[in-house]
Amino acid sequence: MREIGSLPAIFHLSIIAALFVAQFILPPFHHSMLTRIMVLAAYASGYNILLGYTGLMSLGHAMLFSTGLYSVGLTILYLGFEPLAAFTVALISSLVISLLLGAITLRTSGVFFLIVTMIFSQVFYLTTLYFNNITYGDQGFVISQYLHPINMGFFQIDFADRTVKYNLSLLVFSVAFLLSLYVSRSPLGLVLAAIKENPDRAEMLGYNTYRYKLIAFALSGTIAGMSGAVYALVFSYIGSSLAFIHNSINPLLWTLLGGAGTTTGPLVGTMLMVYVIDVTSSFTESYLVVVGIALILIILGFPKGIVGSIRKRWLTWLP
Amino acid sequence: MGIEVPITLGILDGVVVAMVAALTALGLSLVFGIMRIVNVSHGEFYMLGAIIAWFVVTYLGSFLLALVLAPLAVGGLATAVERTILKKIRYDPESTIVATIGLLYAIQQVVLATFGPYAREVSPPFYFRVDLGFFGYSGYKVGVAVISAILIAAVYLLIYKTRLGLFMRATQQDTEIAQAFGVPVRKVYTVSFALGAALAAAAGVLIVPIQQAYYLMGLDALLLSFIIVIVGGLGSIKGTLVAALIVGLLDGVVSVFFSPTLSRILSSLLVAGVILVRPRGLFGSGKTM
Amino acid sequence: MASVEDVPLLETQGLSKRFAGLEAVKSVDLRLEKETVRAIIGPNGAGKTTLVNLISGRLKPTSGKIYYRGVDITNLPAHKRASMGIVYTFQIVSLFPSLTVFENVVLAVQRRLGRGILLRLDRDSVYRQSEKALELVGLEDEAELEAGALPYGHQRLLDIAMALALQPVLLILDEPTQGLSAGEIEKITDLVKKLSKNTTILLIEHNISVVMELAHKITVMADGSILAEGPPSEVEKDVRVQSIYLGV
């Protein structure tokens, strides 16, 4: 019933395997595109746990992504942390920040939740601008010169190496991907689905719905922070623009396009959108108009998204 | 002379900001109260007001004409959006948010393509200085506060003294019952959405001689409106005014000593305080939040 | 000194609820004895549903106290009360329509069996007990359907199966037979009878023959207050009750 089941398990593992194999086949351009897509798809997968599984639409995830991003960036730049230590700091700080943000914003519901998450995220963005003597604001900073290779005895992890970048991205994506598969099939996931459908009834069954929503928020936010941390390590750039509202809207768009509430939707949506924007930005400056029209079209004619529609039509076993 | 002058100036500027913000937020609050939807492109309607004002003043040479044409044009655009997109998604709150985010990008990019990435000035329709004894204050800014107050009062009268206003209040109370009593709910929706957009556009026109027209100016106005409606409580005109004054004065005074960025951070933190203490806003009546 | 046996399962003292301008429940003192069926009857707007909403914790009282097994629960949130055994089924059927029938019941069972906030549990026993709950109401053949696709009567049965799966101490049923066929009403009546051997039941019901068949004691409400209370035979004869129901 709500078990992972062998078919979905094989399906998900083969997607990861295919992404792993792809690095040996793809030409350099697509190799680097996929590196970017996988980090962002991890971010979208985390977002999906909140939107797709729990039915909570946040416009504040840029703040959580950036918590991971800046945790890595600032500890490496100012404190001389090693990448692994910086990553650990990022995980802990994004967990703490998401718990705090969730605890406050989940006191509201519906559209108010969305407005309030957006306001707080904007505070975070403005803070990164206000302290631009530390964060370098919009211009940002680069950490590649401080990312020393990690010596693993018989081989080295060199963050400048594109194979390392690719596999780091694959790693963070796989964690987010498998975690969302696990959650969707777990007793916890069933409670989240119940809260999404009928929170009143879930409460009357004896579930503390506030606490479950907070768990979903923290899980989603920590995955966002983890993605931000890996983004910093892989792309070496840390700047305010990643904390801006556009970066909260992005995972919303990717998740809706791919299919909210499906495990593979965020990957499909991210991949499609990153390629579409890459293609369109080669002949128009204002690629955002594509984002805008895509959002309107999806909501008008395609509310289940790509994977959601496929699941409904053909593959009902798809998680 | 010490810091009295900058503080007085800060307070006066704060009141002016507050009145324009109240006008903008009122449009948002109205639409939410009646239709139960949040229009994320509300700030873009405000921006469009400013941009249209620049075009009208530059090519037709009349500010007064801009104050009439911009709200009409933006109201017309809003009507089209309401009739096509919002109706199609049946005013579902979350779908509306996604659709209006899309609209936000579309409007912004169209303006970028036609108006360009520049901040353009519009000179005030009248110049005079109000003499406050030891210093003067821009007469136009006083005019902006007064016109905003008049428009807010007009909305108040519309809602509480006219038949249309009665329909709006009935729809706000309970859509189904209103419909059963013969209120043309569909029309009320269209009118409310257009009116909300027109108010934002009017605010955009009024602000443009003070702040310049710029294609990215909408987001700030949207966030400010959000802060005001959360602090004041949605659907309350009084709450909107009080919250706008609190936020505006905070903005005005803090900006004197520190940066506007800090004042925006502080007013956003006010939101956190309000949610923790009074999740329905200072004057919120509602079952809604 | 009162012995433990004398403590009622549930007791309200001066319980009141005021909505803007309207006092829906006025200073109600209600005592429920263990393992009995108590019916609350009264005309529409008498405050019956408001009263049980106060007991289940969906509404906070304006004033008054609620004691459960002698403990003050007035300020406990609804989910706490549910996990203490006060189980409420909504007046209007309330399910998780896009989840399967089985998943709906699993949600009830795993809340009881799951350990910790992450609900660590033994899947086999959750499944066994969920199947049993469905068998009890005769929905075992529809386990894999979407709950929202069931006919109305079966949705009501599923609602009750979920309540039973929580193993309630006090089960509050708000008009369980509303909109059901005669056969379905009989099924629910039998079920309640069976349950009442070890569960306390608080029943709001308009169908008088169901009330007469099930209730050990009847509380009559009107205008937010308790008008009369007693065994069915007495209440039936009460002139004031007759005047409310028959308008004489």
Side-chain angles (χ1 to χ4, degrees):
Chain A
M1 191 101 1
R2 270 190 103 87
E3 280 161 43
I4 291 177
S6 52
L7 189 55
I10 292 169
F11 177 68
H12 285 73
L13 291 174
S14 358
I15 287 180
I16 292 173
L19 288 169
F20 180 78
V21 173
Q23 66 183 310
F24 305 111
I25 307 164
L26 289 176
F29 171 73
H30 296 285
H31 189 280
S32 71
M33 283 291 271
L34 213 55
T35 306
R36 175 173 297 272
I37 286 166
M38 287 187 296
V39 179
L40 298 178
Y43 179 27
S45 297
Y47 187 84
N48 186 33
I49 289 180
L50 201 59
L51 176 70
Y53 293 6
T54 323
L56 291 167
M57 195 186 275
S58 146
L59 276 184
H61 265 51
M63 170 174 176
L64 303 167
F65 182 87
S66 305
T67 298
L69 184 87
Y70 276 101
S71 298
V72 164
L74 296 176
T75 52
I76 288 181
L77 183 64
Y78 291 105
L79 305 175
F81 274 33
E82 291 302 318
L84 203 61
F87 183 77
T88 312
V89 171
L91 271 191
I92 294 168
S93 57
S94 28
L95 176 63
V96 171
I97 296 281
S98 12
L99 281 172
L100 276 175
L101 184 66
I104 295 175
T105 56
L106 288 170
R107 290 172 62 88
T108 65
S109 61
V111 292
F112 290 90
F113 173 74
L114 182 130
I115 293 176
V116 173
T117 50
M118 182 174 169
I119 290 174
F120 282 111
S121 189
Q122 189 69 4
V123 171
F124 186 93
Y125 168 70
L126 292 173
T127 308
T128 63
L129 289 184
Y130 187 72
F131 292 105
N132 63 1
N133 53 336
I134 300 170
T135 64
Y136 299 96
D138 256 339
Q139 193 196 335
F141 60 93
V142 169
I143 54 171
S144 50
Q145 68 272 34
Y146 306 102
L147 287 176
H148 310 300
I150 301 177
N151 208 332
M152 301 288 279
F154 52 95
F155 76 109
Q156 278 198 333
I157 298 179
D158 180 358
F159 288 93
D161 181 28
R162 70 184 195 113
T163 307
V164 169
K165 287 177 195 274
Y166 187 97
N167 288 295
L168 259 181
S169 301
L170 176 60
L171 185 65
V172 71
F173 171 73
S174 306
V175 169
F177 188 54
L178 294 178
L179 206 57
S180 37
L181 173 65
Y182 173 75
V183 169
S184 78
R185 302 284 106 178
S186 69
L188 171 68
L190 188 58
V191 178
L192 298 183
I195 290 173
K196 179 183 177 182
E197 287 245 315
N198 190 344
D200 232 16
R201 184 63 168 135
E203 184 87 15
M204 296 316 289
L205 286 181
Y207 290 110
N208 184 344
T209 51
Y210 175 81
R211 196 177 291 174
Y212 280 99
K213 286 192 274 189
L214 189 57
I215 290 175
F217 195 95
L219 191 59
S220 170
T222 308
I223 293 176
M226 177 176 77
S227 316
V230 171
Y231 189 96
L233 291 172
V234 168
F235 299 104
S236 166
Y237 170 76
I238 291 96
S240 295
S241 61
L242 289 161
F244 195 55
I245 172 120
H246 295 323
N247 203 29
S248 291
I249 293 173
N250 279 336
L252 168 67
L253 169 65
W254 299 328
T255 306
L256 285 176
L257 177 63
T262 66
T263 50
T264 42
L267 174 68
V268 173
T270 309
M271 192 178 289
L272 190 67
M273 215 55 215
V274 169
Y275 270 101
V276 164
I277 283 176
D278 185 74
V279 170
T280 51
S281 61
S282 60
F283 58 85
T284 166
E285 290 266 295
S286 47
Y287 71 90
L288 281 173
V289 81
V290 178
V291 175
I293 292 170
L295 280 170
I296 296 176
L297 290 182
I298 292 168
I299 216 68
L300 281 180
F302 204 44
K304 284 190 174 18
I306 296 168
V307 179
S309 305
I310 292 175
R311 169 164 71 182
K312 184 146 179 83
R313 278 267 176 91
W314 298 293
L315 307 174
T316 45
W317 53 267
L318 216 56
Chain B
M1 242 177 357
I3 56 166
E4 295 90 344
V5 171
I7 286 193
T8 314
L9 267 178
I11 290 175
L12 287 173
D13 277 351
V15 172
V16 174
V17 167
M19 294 311 291
V20 177
L23 192 60
T24 319
L26 189 58
L28 190 79
S29 177
L30 202 69
V31 168
F32 180 84
I34 293 165
M35 304 167 71
R36 304 277 142 199
I37 56 169
V38 171
N39 174 16
V40 184
S41 59
H42 193 68
E44 307 315 303
F45 291 154
Y46 166 88
M47 178 268 283
L48 276 179
I51 303 287
I52 293 172
W54 181 85
F55 276 110
V56 172
V57 171
T58 306
Y59 294 104
L60 301 173
S62 165
F63 188 83
L64 197 63
L65 196 60
L67 195 53
V68 176
L69 282 184
L72 279 180
V74 173
L77 173 68
T79 306
V81 168
E82 196 271 339
R83 290 263 169 89
T84 53
I85 300 173
L86 299 188
K87 195 175 154 197
K88 178 106 196 283
I89 54 180
R90 274 172 268 121
Y91 311 97
D92 173 70
E94 295 200 333
S95 306
T96 302
I97 280 164
V98 176
T100 52
I101 289 173
L103 194 63
L104 176 155
Y105 281 135
I107 294 176
Q108 217 174 64
Q109 296 305 314
V110 168
V111 170
L112 175 64
T114 52
F115 184 78
Y118 320 104
R120 299 183 200 247
E121 277 185 42
V122 171
S123 45
F126 50 84
Y127 287 102
F128 63 86
R129 295 198 78 72
V130 180
D131 191 10
L132 293 173
F134 47 101
F135 69 101
Y137 191 70
S138 155
Y140 178 72
K141 286 189 181 174
V142 175
V144 166
V146 172
I147 297 173
S148 302
I150 292 173
L151 287 174
I152 292 169
V155 171
Y156 183 87
L157 290 178
L158 173 78
I159 291 176
Y160 289 98
K161 301 286 175 201
T162 67
R163 193 175 158 76
L164 174 64
L166 181 68
F167 285 170
M168 285 172 149
R169 280 180 288 138
T171 310
Q172 172 157 18
Q173 282 286 321
D174 191 318
T175 312
E176 278 167 29
I177 292 178
Q179 204 146 25
F181 276 87
V183 172
V185 169
R186 282 267 169 277
K187 275 189 192 141
V188 170
Y189 273 16
T190 311
V191 171
S192 309
F193 195 71
L195 179 64
L199 289 174
V205 176
L206 290 173
I207 207 70
V208 81
I210 303 174
Q211 281 188 354
Q212 302 182 329
Y214 180 50
Y215 83 107
L216 289 178
M217 71 196 286
L219 187 65
D220 243 10
L222 177 73
L223 284 163
L224 195 58
S225 299
F226 278 168
I227 291 170
I228 289 169
V229 294
I230 296 277
V231 173
L234 268 167
S236 154
I237 295 184
K238 187 170 107 191
T240 303
L241 264 176
V242 173
L245 280 171
I246 294 173
V247 173
L249 288 177
L250 189 73
D251 190 69
V253 176
V254 174
S255 301
V256 173
F257 300 101
F258 308 99
S259 75
T261 308
L262 185 66
S263 76
R264 191 52 50 79
I265 293 175
L266 288 177
S267 50
S268 305
L269 290 179
L270 192 67
V271 170
V274 169
I275 294 172
L276 286 174
V277 183
R278 278 185 68 100
R280 285 189 177 82
L282 294 179
F283 295 89
S285 50
K287 46 202 171 177
T288 47
M289 197 151 151
Chain C
M1 172 127 187
S3 77
V4 180
E5 287 304 307
D6 290 339
V7 176
L9 181 71
L10 185 103
E11 183 173 14
T12 73
Q13 291 177 359
L15 201 62
S16 301
K17 178 66 184 178
R18 177 181 284 282
F19 297 108
L22 173 84
E23 196 159 25
V25 170
K26 293 176 200 160
S27 190
V28 165
D29 300 321
L30 186 75
R31 287 169 65 100
L32 296 185
E33 298 79 17
K34 283 193 186 90
E35 285 150 26
T36 56
V37 178
R38 170 73 62 95
I40 303 183
I41 62 171
N44 284 325
K48 306 181 299 280
T49 294
T50 307
L51 176 65
V52 293
N53 272 320
L54 291 171
I55 293 171
S56 70
R58 294 184 74 214
L59 292 174
K60 293 268 164 284
T62 316
S63 60
K65 292 265 175 224
I66 306 168
Y67 297 92
Y68 174 67
R69 292 169 153 168
V71 181
D72 184 353
I73 58 162
T74 317
N75 293 315
L76 287 187
H79 65 85
K80 275 254 169 65
R81 299 188 202 189
S83 53
M84 289 166 81
I86 304 179
V87 171
Y88 173 72
T89 64
F90 292 67
Q91 186 173 6
I92 297 159
V93 170
S94 181
L95 305 167
F96 306 105
S98 81
L99 302 182
T100 65
V101 169
F102 193 68
E103 284 170 334
N104 271 269
V105 182
V106 166
L107 271 162
V109 175
Q110 74 173 24
R111 208 280 291 139
R112 192 162 46 74
L113 295 185
R115 287 180 308 275
I117 187 87
L118 291 178
L119 303 161
R120 290 181 308 277
L121 44 77
D122 166 31
R123 275 184 199 267
D124 287 344
S125 44
V126 171
Y127 288 179
R128 244 194 337 271
Q129 295 198 23
S130 303
E131 273 157 17
K132 234 167 73 190
L134 285 180
E135 277 164 21
L136 211 56
V137 297
L139 286 178
E140 64 272 22
D141 293 337
E142 283 146 302
E144 289 310 309
L145 292 180
E146 269 186 22
L150 291 180
Y152 181 80
H154 287 191
Q155 290 195 13
R156 177 62 87 180
L157 288 171
L158 174 57
D159 207 346
I160 290 173
M162 288 160 74
L164 298 185
L166 291 171
Q167 296 188 349
V169 179
L170 169 61
L171 176 62
I172 304 171
L173 296 167
D174 197 347
E175 300 197 25
T177 65
Q178 197 186 11
L180 297 189
S181 68
E184 287 163 341
I185 290 178
E186 204 185 308
K187 202 176 216 169
I188 286 183
T189 315
D190 285 348
L191 210 57
V192 171
K193 244 187 219 160
K194 235 189 278 167
L195 274 173
S196 63
K197 295 198 178 78
N198 47 22
T199 311
T200 308
I201 291 167
L202 182 58
L203 173 74
I204 297 183
E205 184 56 64
H206 277 302
N207 185 328
I208 287 298
S209 61
V210 171
V211 170
M212 289 303 164
E213 189 178 344
L214 289 176
H216 299 114
K217 206 166 167 186
I218 296 176
T219 299
V220 187
M221 280 185 80
D223 280 331
S225 308
I226 293 178
L227 189 75
E229 201 167 85
S233 51
E234 270 175 40
V235 169
E236 209 175 11
K237 287 181 220 134
D238 194 304
V239 181
R240 291 167 307 169
V241 177
Q242 286 175 355
S243 76
I244 281 179
Y245 273 93
L246 309 171
V248 289

